[in-house]
Amino acid sequence: MNKKYKISLIMATLGREIEVRNFIESLLVQNYKNYELIIVDQNDGDFIKKISDEYRGKMDIVYIYSEKKGLSLSRNLGLKHVSGDIIAFPDDDCEYSQGMLERIIDKFENENIDIVTFKSIDKISEADSNNKWESTTQEVSIFNIFKTSISYTIFIKVKNIKDISFDEKLGVGAYFGSAEESDMLSNLLSKSYKSKYYPNIFAYHPIKIEVSDRYFEYALGMGAFVKKEVFYRKNYKYFFKGFQYIFIRPIGGLILSLLKFRIKSAKRYKGIFLGRLLGFIKY
């Protein structure tokens, strides 16, 4: 295994302690050791700093404290401190599977690609988590982006560090509360970065039981993403796909839920529709 690639892992963290420790432990057992962990701490208190200091002698750790809270903002702050050839953005509640980094590096070494993406599963049940993942290896495009990537399953080979950035109006902590990683990845694809998805590589992430009041925040981000894709990146071919996301899918889910007298589900789909529409209008 060629050790020429150094991986910079940028982890923005807020409100988690045990999970951060678990992620670090999953790094320590990786076969591939040429990496740095950049922790961007948004917490009040020093518990993350203490964890960072505890593991500093066991791995290359860069600790950064951010007074401002926001996922995209923190990741952009971390990007200013990278020294690696490959960049990734682990969540503060994910873990890496055994040998995962080695398999990713193998893809970069043996295939003509700039970005590797893969799936996530729940560590206990081994069921797919946080997505309806594609089952076959394939190139990543704007049309399959939501089934082939999520923030912590994206690894990017650095061509020009200025290409890699997050829209700070998107993501957790911002008004448009999601889709920041899809927006970042789409921007790279528009710059002719080649990306490939591998379903046989996986990270661990617990299956999220979404809180009802966050559906609306997430939906705002999706609506904003569609607007950026069609009107800012001028990808007019995406218009119908975006129309499906904003109108057809949530309205179809709303009607079906009402027909089956699933009131809670109907309220959820109503919130998703209104959020996506508002996100599209307001971005």
Side-chain angles (χ1 to χ4, degrees):
M1 174 63 63
N2 193 326
K3 303 296 184 182
K4 70 176 182 177
Y5 290 117
K6 180 178 181 180
I7 305 173
S8 293
L9 304 166
I10 300 172
M11 173 188 282
T13 182
L14 177 64
R16 293 192 171 104
E17 181 175 358
I18 294 174
E19 294 90 343
V20 170
R21 189 179 295 275
N22 288 343
F23 174 77
I24 293 175
E25 289 291 337
S26 78
L27 270 182
L28 287 175
V29 298
Q30 294 294 314
N31 298 322
Y32 195 83
K33 302 294 186 182
N34 191 12
Y35 57 77
E36 64 179 353
L37 175 60
I38 300 170
I39 299 177
V40 185
D41 181 9
Q42 304 168 80
N43 294 282
D44 298 324
D46 62 353
F47 61 92
I48 295 296
K49 178 66 164 60
K50 288 179 179 178
I51 293 175
S52 174
D53 291 341
E54 177 184 342
Y55 284 96
R56 193 174 301 279
K58 299 178 181 180
M59 65 171 64
D60 184 0
I61 292 184
V62 178
Y63 173 85
I64 304 166
Y65 178 71
S66 176
E67 292 183 354
K68 296 182 178 180
K69 293 178 173 61
L71 183 56
S72 292
L73 184 150
S74 295
R75 286 172 173 166
N76 284 341
L77 180 58
L79 279 164
K80 297 178 181 178
H81 296 266
V82 300
S83 62
D85 311 289
I86 293 170
I87 297 175
F89 304 92
D91 272 6
D92 59 359
D93 59 346
C94 79
E95 296 177 41
Y96 286 168
S97 59
Q98 179 66 48
M100 194 191 88
L101 294 183
E102 191 172 28
R103 291 193 291 273
I104 290 168
I105 293 299
D106 179 71
K107 301 302 181 185
F108 280 118
E109 289 183 338
N110 294 297
E111 300 194 35
N112 182 28
I113 50 175
D114 307 304
I115 304 169
V116 168
T117 75
F118 47 96
K119 66 189 292 184
S120 72
I121 66 172
D122 181 80
K123 190 173 184 180
I124 297 174
S125 68
E126 297 188 351
D128 286 358
S129 61
N130 294 354
N131 220 333
K132 295 180 179 178
W133 298 101
E134 294 285 5
S135 59
T136 60
T137 300
Q138 55 194 271
E139 291 187 5
V140 178
S141 75
I142 186 59
F143 295 102
N144 66 6
I145 199 168
F146 293 112
K147 291 187 176 183
T148 56
S149 64
I150 200 166
S151 60
Y152 54 91
T153 70
I154 301 169
F155 279 64
I156 307 162
K157 185 190 297 183
V158 178
K159 295 166 68 175
N160 182 347
I161 190 63
K162 293 181 180 179
D163 288 341
I164 307 171
S165 65
F166 290 88
D167 183 341
E168 294 179 7
K169 292 187 288 185
L170 302 179
V172 176
Y175 178 74
F176 304 97
S178 70
E180 78 289 344
E181 77 271 44
S182 301
D183 175 68
M184 180 272 297
L185 182 53
S186 176
N187 188 53
L188 293 176
L189 294 176
S190 73
K191 296 177 184 292
S192 299
Y193 280 66
K194 295 180 180 179
S195 179
K196 203 166 185 179
Y197 163 76
Y198 301 91
N200 61 331
I201 302 175
F202 58 87
Y204 295 119
H205 194 289
I207 296 173
K208 289 184 178 179
I209 302 174
E210 292 182 278
V211 180
S212 58
D213 62 358
R214 298 197 71 176
Y215 288 131
F216 187 74
E217 295 175 20
Y218 295 150
L220 286 168
M222 173 65 82
F225 171 81
V226 171
K227 186 169 186 177
K228 287 193 71 175
E229 189 62 34
V230 175
F231 291 100
Y232 287 75
R233 281 187 280 270
K234 302 186 184 305
N235 183 4
Y236 301 120
K237 292 181 180 179
Y238 196 72
F239 181 82
F240 181 69
K241 190 75 169 179
F243 186 84
Q244 285 182 302
Y245 281 127
I246 294 174
F247 293 99
I248 296 176
R249 293 186 181 182
I251 291 176
L254 173 61
I255 294 171
L256 187 61
S257 297
L258 289 173
L259 290 174
K260 295 183 177 182
F261 299 101
R262 296 176 179 174
I263 304 304
K264 186 176 180 180
S265 178
K267 289 181 179 179
R268 173 178 174 269
Y269 279 112
K270 178 182 177 182
I272 291 173
F273 166 65
L274 293 176
R276 289 180 180 179
L277 181 61
L278 188 61
F280 183 87
I281 293 171
K282 293 191 70 172
Y283 187 88

